[in-house]
Amino acid sequence: MTAKYNPQEIEKKWQERWAKDKLYEVTEDDPRPKWYALTMFPYTSGDLHIGHWYAMAPSDVHARFKRLQGYNVLHPMGFDAFGLPAENAAIKRGIHPFAWTMQNVDNMRRQLKSMGAIYDWNREVITCQPEYYKWTEWFFLKLYEAGLAYRAKAPVNWCPHCQTVLANEQVIEGFCERCGAAVVRRDLEQWFFRITKYADELMEHNGIDWPERIKIMQRNWVGKSVGTEISFALDQPGVDEKEIKVFTTRPDTTFGVTFMVLAPEHPLVAKLTSPEKEAEVENYIAQSRRQTEIERLSTEKEKDGVFIGTYCINRLNGEKVPIWIADYVLLAYGTGAVMGVPAHDERDFAFAKKYNLPIPVVIAPPDWQREELDEAYIETGTMVNSGQFNGLPSQQGIEAVSDFLEKNGWGKRTVTYKLRDWLISRQRYWGAPIPMIYCPDCGIVPVPEEDLPVLLPEDAEFKPTGESPLKYHDQFVNTTCPRCGSPAKRETDTMDTFMCSSWYFLRYASPGCDSAAFDNRMQYWLPVDLYTGGAEHAVMHLFYARFFIKALRDMGLVDFGEPFTRLFNQGIIIAEKQKMSKSRGNVITPDEYVSELGADAVRAYLMFVAPWEQGGEWNDSGISGISRWLNRLWKLVLTSYNWDKFSRDTAKAERDIYRIAHQTIRKVTNDLENIHFNTMIAILMEFTNHLSKAKELGAITPSCWKWCRDNLLLLLAPTAPHLAEELWQETEHDYSIHNQRWPKWDETLVSDEQITLVVQVNGKLRDRTIVPVSITETEAKQIALERERVKTSLKGKEIVKVIYVPGRLVNLVVR
Ligand SMILES: [Zn+2]
Ligand SMILES: [Zn+2]
């Protein structure tokens, strides 16, 4: 009697054995080709939910597959541990962020271990530990030395709820990416990384295999536009400035300018406002200050503004252009001034209608009869009402107007980017300290490398006040200048946690290295061969990490420019038709399913539930079905095989089962390679059914049975590693199945699909027979003539003609 499948028992047993044998530990002196399979490391927010497993289990299956294929596979795991969410959660619970984070790490590590992944835990990184953030600080110094880190006063995104500034990437349509609060703008002295230096390169994704939509999001985020900067003349008594600059991608519309709009914060506003407009203008500025960027840019909001009482000159036609202020123009973007071309811009059209400003057409739409426009015409067309440029098509006009402006010194062709430098200062406690010192005599002085790490003091009062908590920690703040020895003060802001995650994948490849951030083992593993994680990181982590590596490349620290050769984004798992959330109470925790049905069932179900890139809905009956399959498979493998020695069908049955087996190997291999995990599981289930049927019939020989069964186990091994290992042992193989070679299919057997060949005599059906699809005409005729029933009907007749319809029939014409 076979023992019952008991996943709890066998999973625990094999996990212990693998750990004891160091089965998945990897080294760099391995003759096999390397494969670096990386999963985005989890944030230490608490328990793992099924969404984490959805990111991690299928990527482990793929990494195991590469391992069986003969690669030396590094598949590491660690924890992204600094940052706001951990700190906020700790504050809420009244515990220290370090204690809270490490408690989460322990729990998450335990949960991850229960998954049975091939993580080499010797390589774990935890970003909030001094042995890690020492090097985060070191990278800051390197970026500073390279001129890529600088301090500047700038209007920044301030989250009033999180009490800190945010990077542009962390502001989602005007709201804080972490807490959802509306972001306001503030002027602050902050540290920036010069990511804009790499703007062009970050738009290129040469030689890397990334999803198209991520590439598009990154390109849009850089937001390169090629256009012309145009200078409008100012001639205001008592005002030094003699021009207002605007940027446009459509210089061909410049003759259509009927107003100029400045951002309310524009420094020229105070100087240019006429005395009688002062009160109105001040009022408007005060009102716009109360609004967030999101409110100002909202498409629903009616665009309003105020005329400030003065004019500039459009140099192309000498016309006076009234100057307005409107809060839909932001100082932080472009020049803070926009030329109003109402006939050819939707927003300007609405603005001109509202304030009764003229709307002259300067780009003629097709078939235009000089009539007024009902809406803005924003396409290209033919230039009209444009002086010497009349009749030029827009594309030519753009060049001609730009040439003319440049020749006269009234403008220049220029490229603008939406991308801004990466703001990395955070006025919060829980982050890596910025290793900088302010000396009254020497100014900004970097902490010498040998003094790293600048330790984050554990005894600081960490509750957010709007100012960096470290400011109030005297022992931390007060230091001596490394250059002159005078009393000096430390920088008290901490680094954006995205800095920590910009290089963690390098550290995995140099575990325990205490003399550098990484050593030459890193060169062996990097770049990452396959990186998997959520698409929500498109313009944050994935963008920053690319910048970071390009900067290191230019410093000569690494010899590659792209960290992740192939990127794959999995979808998300929902429950009860909705995204999982604690407040909805629909969070699926893997632990209960692991203890009830086993990690292998959870892994296989996550592979099966939907195409991985799409994601799907968790369903209890779905995982029960998977569990039943694994139980069937268990019985199938462990009950003895009874061969019917007298079966006449042995040859055909074996031919069939070998064909199916080779087809299965091919399909499973291709599906794993192409990350089509759900169809791969379906194929394995079908193969299980075929083997059950074959076993029932007992026609195939025991050696054929064993061959098929062993291959089923090998194909199952990445998905259900514990079950496959147990059954491998129970079928008297050497430990471990995970050190075997991935099965290969025989192409000739795979293509051996069969067809029914019809044999006719004078057009009448005489027989049917199964033949390989690849049969030739000669072979087909030969087979037809040898059939017993055909021979009978041919007796005493003469064959005058043989008609062959390929793949279908042979017709013998006789007399
Ligand atoms: Zn916030
Ligand atoms: Zn000094």
Side-chain angles (χ1 to χ4, degrees), residues 84 88 158-164 166 170 175-183 428:
L84 284 181
N88 289 342
W158 177 263
C159 174
H161 181 257
C162 297
Q163 296 270 302
T164 184
L166 303 170
Q170 289 161 332
F175 294 100
C176 171
E177 176 252 342
R178 292 292 189 197
C179 73
V183 169
R428 293 291 295 252

Side-chain angles (χ1 to χ4, degrees), residues 619-634:
N619 182 313
D620 279 354
S621 69
I623 190 168
S624 304
I626 287 284
S627 173
R628 281 196 301 277
W629 166 53
L630 296 179
N631 274 287
R632 259 197 334 269
L633 200 147
W634 171 269

